[in-house]
Structures are given as C-alpha cells and as structure tokens.
C-alpha cells in the first residue's frame, strides 16, 4: 500500500546442540490505524543457560512485549509505551523467581535478555537489556547498535550485568535512529553472532535481497514483498546453519528486517481528513445539518463559531463548533481543530469536556461535544471578583483533576486559561478546547504541516514557550498557578505583564514574583509560597506533578513556613525606595539643622 510503512522479514531459530530452545522471538505488523499509530514491533529474547526455566522467561518477555505494547494508548510515545510494558514484565519475572525455589539464586530463576525494535513512521526505536544484539546493515558491513551488558572476569569467563527478571528495578538502553527506505536491521543471539563474522552475515543477507529484487525487475509490489520474505527467511536459516557448523553450542536465533517503504507526510491522519472534509456551510437557527437542528449561535470569534444544537435522533443538546471562514485555508489551524476532537475521544474524566455520544459520519469539518449548562471561569470571575480561599482551592483542584487526565496520556494542554474552563450550574469545573494540545504519540508521526510551539494566550503561557520550547506538564502547572494567582489577587498576574516580554533566559531569570500578600495580608504565607513555586520561571523549579501543588494549597508545607520573609526590596520595591528617600531626607534636614554653615 503506498504511503505506508512496509517491511520484509526473515526469521529462524534452532535449539542447536542443547536439549531445549531457550530463545524466543516474534514480530507484529498491525493493520491501519495501528500501523501508523504504533508502528511495527520485533523482539528477541535469550534465556540464560544456568536456569531450567529461562525459556519461560524468554517467551513471556517477547509475547508480553508484542501483545501489551499494542494495548497501550496511542497518545503515549513509543518510549513510554514500551517502558511501561517492559517494567511490568520485569516485575512479573522477578516475582516468579522470588516465589520459586531459586529466590536466593537468581541465575537459576526466570531471567532472560531482550532486544526489541519498533519502527514507527520514519524512526526506529531500540530497547535493549543483556547481550542479544541489534545491528544495522550498511553496504557490506554490520553496524552494532546495542552494547552488550556483560562483564568479563577473564578472557574465557563473563557474566550478565543486566537482564530481564534479575532485579525488581529494570534498567535498559534506549535509542532512536532515523530510518530510510532500504534499511536492513538484524537481531541475533550470541549463539549466532559469536560464530559468524559480521562481514559474512552482511554478504549472505545482501545476496538474498539482490536475488529477490533482480528476479523480475517489473514484478508487482505484492510479488516483490513475497519474494523478499522468502529470501530473508532462507538467509536467516542459512546463517543459523552456518553458525551451527562453525561449532556454536548455544541456541541460535536471528531476525532480519528490511524497510521496503516509508509513510509520506501526506499520510498523516489529520492531513488526510483535511483533504477529505470540505468547510461547513453557514449554520442558521432552525436548519438541520447532518442530523443536528441548530438552535442558536453561542459564541463567535476570529478562530471559530460555536452553536447550540439538538440531535434529532436523541433530542440531546449538543455544541457544534466550526472553524472560522477566514481560516479555511490555514492548515495548521485546521489540524489543531481536528486535534480537539481526537483528544476528547481519548479522555474520560468528569472535569474534561466530552465528545458527543452520537458519532455519525461528518459531511464537513466540524466537531460536536456535550453541552455544558454554565459559564466560563473568565465570566465567573467577573461575577465573583473576590472569591474566598476555599472556593478558589475547590476550583483549582477540579481543574487539576482534569489536567491529570491529560498528563497521564502524555498530553500537554498548552492553552489553559479561564476562558477554557467551564463552570456548570452544579459548580463543576470542566476543561474545554483542546486544539493546542501536544500529544507525545502524535508528535512522532511526520506531518506536512508546520506548527509553532506557542499557540495559547500569552498571559497564561509558561516562560519556556517564549524561548521556542515545546513545553511539558510543568508548563500546564505554570498556567494553573497563574489562574490561582489571578483568582486570589482580584485579576492581577504574578509577574505583571513581564513574562511575554522575557524572550531570553537571562531576562526570565530577572523576573520578580509579586507576592499576593502585598495586597491581601489575609492570604497565608504558605499559600503564597505554593503559588510562587507553581509559577517559577524555570520549569525544573516548579512542582513536578499536580498532586504536590494541590496538596500544598491545602496543607502548610513546612519548608515554606521555615522560610524567612523576603526583604522589603523584593516584596515591594517602590515602598523600599520611598523609605530610603525618606531616611535620606531626614539625614539632610538633621545635618542642616546642626551645621548652620552648610546652608
């Protein structure tokens, strides 16, 4: 299929001179949409010979990796998805050993090495524990991409320093490489690579590939793929048999993967939808559009039009959002418009706006969400300019619960502000508008559309956005801290209007936090310090996770209580210099009074 990731593979494994085969291998090439969202996965494990159960560990490691990786959310990055799976499998293997007779002799327990390769979009992701190896074939040479986790005691004796199941905490190597069409990767156990020279392996594989391609220069893509698979399987078997003939006494396994085709930027999911869906017509009250009866316009801006409508099948009130006509040719904006619907369908949280329950086919570019009977936090603050501390804490905590749903899926909202939070008639806060959300899993897929990092409202944006950085969960914590500050200060900002003007690191280091207690001494010092930390200009000086911030808003942090009050010059520079001027004036008056000759 054009514009998609295509690979050819060959695999072969043999127990060799041993009684059982403690190696295990496998690969998964999913269909779309998982092929684009998660890529293809190849894995190889080698059980240690000192254990009588390591073949069970090898099989569990490979099957667990290949099955569970595709069960993780497509919002996660490849690294996060694979890491979660590897750590879970490692914990299971270690627990099996601890519950067995070999709990005090881990070399006889459920232990194995593992090397895995995931190719997603145009990037190869390598995961490695132990002494199985991953190579890349370059011309007639093999480039070793992994490092053996083996410590040599002498020329003839060594032991594994890392492996699956040895320790409760897993340490693995991870690296990424750009992939080009025609690239060949090789995964092998030591039973193979220790008995065949790398150059010989490269020659066998190249000969097989060249023969398959030259057999019929005009053959179809499907026929070529079949020929390549057969050729690589034959090459894998030939290499295993050669290693056996060269005296290998171990199990022997090899996998060969050739990249036959790569996705183009135009294969991007959102780009294809933009090409397929036309702009919607002008929506008017009483008209029926795709099964929705328009009631009235709710909000119009230069970026979008929002309407209240009723689903004619369910009588459910919904909100329909369409892109502004003026932006119909702005592909970056339109992709972010579709992103909002993609994100909403993957988050299920009481404090995040839900997509419409009826998912009918769209005839145009628009999104449908639940209707929230209430008002934005921005309007709520106009109606409630001086909310009490407990009310503020309650709203901030609800927003944080919604944000946590984003962060657990490796999403960063990037445009958190009072206008993007709804307060319904029950007092429940809901985060809305996800068009600027950054999704780690989607950032790994190439797109023909370029995006600017900073898309949100600048007065709530974290300082790192003004340095051109993509932002992290700590950037959302900064925005939440600004909202909390604004609610407690009657509409002010923690650094005034200085953050958007601070476009260098040195300028950001000069930013001075304006204490909430200058205007309102009733606010506890520890509350002020918690917000100060949340909105620190440097991301790594902020809270790492939202739960820490929310905890410190409800419970006095001892480290804050132990802090001395900042000097007057920091708390109120104007008052400081007025005081200095007054003191100098008094000194001048005293000198003039006591020394008449100075007049």
């Amino acid at each position: 299929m054009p514009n998609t990731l295509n690979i050819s593979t060959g695999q072969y494994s043999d127990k060799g001179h041993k009684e059982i085969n403690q190696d295990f291998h496998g690969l998964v090439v999913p269909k779309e949409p998982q092929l684009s969202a998660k890529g293809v996965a190849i894995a190889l494990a080698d059980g240690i010979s000192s254990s009588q159960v390591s073949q069970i560990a090898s099989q569990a490691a490979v099957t667990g990796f290949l099955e569970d990786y595709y069960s993780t959310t497509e919002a996660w990055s490849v690294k996060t998805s694979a890491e979660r799976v590897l750590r879970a499998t490692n914990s299971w293997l270690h627990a099996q050993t601890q519950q067995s007779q070999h709990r005090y002799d881990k070399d006889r327990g459920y232990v194995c090495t593992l090397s895995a390769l995931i190719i997603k979009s145009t990037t190869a992701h390598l995961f490695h524990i132990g002494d199985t190896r991953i190579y890349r074939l370059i011309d007639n040479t093999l480039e070793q991409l992994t490092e053996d986790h083996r410590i040599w005691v002498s020329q003839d004796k060594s032991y594994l320093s890392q492996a699956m199941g040895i320790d409760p905490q897993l340490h693995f190597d991870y690296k990424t490489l750009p992939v080009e069409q025609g690239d060949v990767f090789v995964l092998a156990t030591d039973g193979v690579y220790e008995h065949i020279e790398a150059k010989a392996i490269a020659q066998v594989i190249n000969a097989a590939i060249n023969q398959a391609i030259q057999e019929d220069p005009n053959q179809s893509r499907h026929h070529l793929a079949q020929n390549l698979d057969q050729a690589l399987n034959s090459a894998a078997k030939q290499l295993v048999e050669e290693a056996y003939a060269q005296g290998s006494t171990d199990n022997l396994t090899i996998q060969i993967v050739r990249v036959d085709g790569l996705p183009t930027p135009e294969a991007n999911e959102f780009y294809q939808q933009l090409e397929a869906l036309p702009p919607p017509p002008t929506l008017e009250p009483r008209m029926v559009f795709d099964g929705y009866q328009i009631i009235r316009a709710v909000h119009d801006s230069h970026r979008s039009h929002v309407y209240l409508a009723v689903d004619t099948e369910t009588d459910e009130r919904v909100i329909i959002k369409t892109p502004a006509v003026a932006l119909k040719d702005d592909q970056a904006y339109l992709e972010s418009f579709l992103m909002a619907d993609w994100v909403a369908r993957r988050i299920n949280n009481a404090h995040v706006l839900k997509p419409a329950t009826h998912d009918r086919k769209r005839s145009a570019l628009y999104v449908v969400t639940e209707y929230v009977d209430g008002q934005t936090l921005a309007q709520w603050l106009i109606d409630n300019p001086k909310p009490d501390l407990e009310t503020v804490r309650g709203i901030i905590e609800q927003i944080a619960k919604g944000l946590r749903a984003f962060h657990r899926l490796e999403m960063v909202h990037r445009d958190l502000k009072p206008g993007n939070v709804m307060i319904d008639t029950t007092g429940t806060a809901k985060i809305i508008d996800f068009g600027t959300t950054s999704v780690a899993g989607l950032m790994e897929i190439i797109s023909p559309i370029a995006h600017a990092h900073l898309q949100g409202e600048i007065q709530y944006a974290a300082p790192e956005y003004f340095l051109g950085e993509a932002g992290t969960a700590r950037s959302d914590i900064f925005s939440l801290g600004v909202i909390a500050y604004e609610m407690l200060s009657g509409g002010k900002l923690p650094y005034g209007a200085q953050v958007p003007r601070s476009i260098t690191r040195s300028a950001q280091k000069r930013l001075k936090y304006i204490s909430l207690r200058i205007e309102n001494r009733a606010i506890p010092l520890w509350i002020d310090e918690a917000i100060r930390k949340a909105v620190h200009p440097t991301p790594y000086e902020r809270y790492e996770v939202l739960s820490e911030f929310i905890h410190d808003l409800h419970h006095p942090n001892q480290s804050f209580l132990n802090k001395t009050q900042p000097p007057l010059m920091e708390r109120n520079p104007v008052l400081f210099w007025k005081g200095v001027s007054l003191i100098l004036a008094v000194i001048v008056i005293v000198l003039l009074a006591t020394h008449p000759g100075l007049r």
Side-chain angles (χ1 to χ4, degrees):
M1 181 178 179
N3 296 332
T4 60
L5 176 63
N6 289 285
I7 66 169
S8 299
T9 61
Q11 308 178 91
Y12 195 75
S13 183
D14 192 274
K15 65 184 179 65
H17 288 287
K18 293 197 169 185
E19 295 183 2
I20 60 173
N21 193 347
Q22 294 180 308
D23 293 350
F24 201 85
H25 66 285
L27 68 90
V28 175
V29 182
K31 298 182 182 298
E32 292 289 4
Q34 276 200 319
L35 179 60
S36 294
K38 306 295 287 186
V40 300
I42 306 98
L44 171 63
D46 182 2
I48 60 176
S49 57
S50 60
S51 170
Q52 297 299 312
V53 293
S54 65
Q55 70 275 11
I56 299 175
S58 296
Q59 182 174 352
V62 171
T63 57
F65 183 84
L66 296 179
E67 292 175 3
D68 294 346
Y69 170 73
Y70 289 98
S71 299
T72 60
T73 172
E74 57 195 336
W76 281 351
S77 65
V78 169
K79 183 176 185 292
T80 296
S81 298
E83 181 176 1
R84 298 288 181 94
V85 172
L86 289 173
R87 294 196 185 284
T89 302
N90 182 76
S91 295
W92 184 85
L93 292 174
H94 186 262
Q96 293 299 110
T97 298
Q98 293 299 100
Q99 296 167 15
S100 72
Q101 59 182 327
H102 306 300
R103 62 180 303 176
Y104 298 113
D105 188 0
K106 56 188 177 183
D107 289 338
R108 297 183 178 276
Y110 294 78
V111 176
C112 67
T113 66
L114 177 75
S115 291
L117 172 69
I118 294 174
I119 303 175
K120 176 181 175 182
S121 190
T122 58
T123 303
H125 303 257
L126 283 66
F127 302 86
H128 172 68
I129 313 102
D131 63 353
T132 44
R133 289 182 181 176
I134 302 178
Y135 298 90
R136 179 169 55 182
L137 180 61
I138 302 177
D139 296 327
N140 287 316
T141 60
L142 280 183
E143 175 192 10
Q144 185 176 336
L145 301 176
T146 54
E147 180 181 346
D148 296 342
H149 297 149
R150 181 168 287 279
I151 297 177
W152 289 88
V153 180
S154 65
Q155 187 175 356
D156 301 321
K157 186 176 181 181
S158 65
Y159 63 90
L160 284 172
S161 59
Q162 294 182 40
M164 295 282 292
I166 285 183
D167 297 310
Q169 299 299 320
L170 178 66
H171 302 282
F172 62 88
D173 293 344
Y174 168 73
K175 69 164 59 175
T176 60
L177 297 169
V179 175
E180 296 182 2
Q181 185 171 337
D183 279 353
V184 176
F185 295 92
V186 179
L187 289 76
T189 59
D190 55 356
V192 174
Y193 67 71
E194 286 185 351
H195 297 274
I196 306 181
E197 291 185 0
K199 186 177 181 180
I201 295 175
Q203 289 174 343
V204 170
I205 295 173
N206 277 331
I209 293 173
N210 291 335
Q211 182 178 352
I213 294 175
Q214 294 170 6
E215 179 179 299
D216 182 0
N218 299 317
Q219 61 189 310
S220 66
R221 180 189 296 269
H222 176 68
H223 190 209
L224 175 61
Q226 286 184 323
N227 282 345
L228 283 169
D229 283 341
Q230 292 175 0
L232 293 178
N233 275 313
S234 296
K237 183 178 181 181
Q238 178 182 341
L239 290 167
V240 166
E241 291 175 345
E242 178 64 22
Y244 182 84
Q246 293 295 328
S248 176
T249 59
D250 205 345
N251 303 141
L252 310 96
T253 306
I254 189 169
Q255 296 174 289
I256 308 167
V257 181
R258 182 181 188 271
V259 179
D260 300 329
L262 290 172
T264 63
E266 288 72 24
N268 177 275
E269 172 189 357
F270 296 106
Y271 184 82
Q272 290 180 332
Q273 290 187 56
L274 294 181
E275 293 292 295
L277 295 174
T282 301
L283 302 184
E284 301 289 347
R286 296 186 179 179
M287 74 178 287
V288 176
F289 172 66
D290 278 5
Y292 299 104
Q293 183 173 26
I294 308 303
I295 305 300
R296 59 180 170 85
V298 175
H299 178 73
D300 284 318
S301 71
H302 70 287
R303 295 179 62 83
S304 62
H305 308 294
V306 182
Y307 304 89
L308 175 64
V310 172
D311 189 322
T312 57
E313 293 184 9
T314 64
D315 289 331
E316 179 186 9
R317 287 193 295 178
V318 298
I319 288 293
I320 295 180
K321 186 176 180 180
T322 66
V325 176
L327 296 174
K328 63 182 179 63
D329 297 321
D330 186 337
Q331 288 190 319
Y333 164 73
L334 294 178
E335 183 174 325
S336 72
F337 187 87
L338 288 172
M339 174 70 74
D341 188 55
W342 191 96
V343 170
R345 293 181 185 280
R346 285 156 178 81
I347 295 180
N348 182 17
N349 186 276
H351 302 287
V352 177
L353 188 72
K354 294 190 303 183
T357 53
H358 194 152
D359 187 17
R360 60 170 61 89
K361 186 176 181 180
R362 292 176 294 184
S363 65
L365 193 62
Y366 64 90
V367 296
V368 186
T369 67
E370 67 172 320
Y371 168 68
V372 179
D373 186 10
Q375 59 185 165
T376 65
L377 179 58
Q379 182 60 52
W380 186 91
L381 285 172
I382 294 174
D383 298 340
N384 303 270
K386 295 183 178 181
D388 61 80
L389 179 58
E390 195 55 40
T391 299
V392 171
R393 281 196 288 220
I395 292 175
I396 295 299
E397 183 172 5
Q398 291 186 67
I399 299 172
K401 288 179 179 178
L403 273 183
R404 274 202 296 268
F406 283 80
H407 296 171
R408 285 171 182 152
L409 294 176
E410 273 198 292
M411 298 181 182
V412 181
H413 188 278
R414 298 201 302 179
D415 192 21
L416 189 65
K417 59 185 179 182
N420 280 343
V421 176
M422 291 290 294
I423 307 293
D424 69 14
T425 53
T426 68
T428 300
K430 290 178 179 283
I431 300 173
I432 64 174
D433 198 346
F434 322 128
T436 61
T437 299
S438 170
V439 183
L442 295 183
M443 297 298 288
E444 296 173 331
I445 302 174
I446 56 173
S447 171
I449 302 173
H451 303 276
H453 290 314
L454 178 58
Q455 300 179 25
E457 193 162 319
I458 60 175
Q459 69 188 86
Y460 300 94
E464 54 268 25
Y465 287 130
F466 299 98
L467 300 176
E469 298 176 5
T472 65
R474 296 176 192 252
S475 306
D476 282 345
I477 293 176
F478 179 94
S479 301
L480 184 62
V482 173
I483 294 174
Y485 186 100
E486 182 181 14
M487 295 179 75
L488 291 172
S489 66
K492 293 182 173 60
L493 298 172
Y495 300 101
Q498 294 305 308
V499 172
R501 300 172 186 172
S502 303
I503 58 175
T504 64
R505 294 192 187 279
S506 58
Q508 290 180 1
K509 288 179 180 179
R510 292 193 296 269
L511 288 171
K512 298 296 183 183
Y513 175 80
I514 304 169
S515 174
L516 282 166
R517 290 167 53 81
I518 293 175
E519 297 292 336
N520 187 353
R521 301 291 296 178
I523 295 176
L525 175 63
W526 52 274
I527 292 285
D528 189 34
E529 290 298 322
I531 294 176
R532 182 197 295 266
K533 181 174 181 178
V535 300
H536 197 285
T538 303
Y540 293 104
E541 295 293 336
R542 295 176 207 147
Y543 289 100
E544 184 176 0
V545 292
L546 285 158
S547 57
E548 295 176 351
F549 177 39
I550 299 305
H551 182 272
D552 283 356
L553 285 180
H554 287 81
H555 307 88
N557 188 318
Q558 191 61 43
S559 65
F560 296 156
L561 297 177
N562 293 338
K563 285 184 65 174
T564 58
Q565 190 175 34
L568 180 60
M569 185 175 181
E570 181 179 333
R571 288 181 284 119
N572 194 330
V574 175
L575 183 59
F576 172 81
W577 288 112
K578 283 182 178 180
V580 171
S581 300
L582 178 61
I583 292 171
L584 291 175
V586 170
I587 292 174
V588 170
I589 293 172
V590 171
L591 288 174
L592 292 175
T594 56
H595 299 79
L598 295 176
R599 295 178 185 176

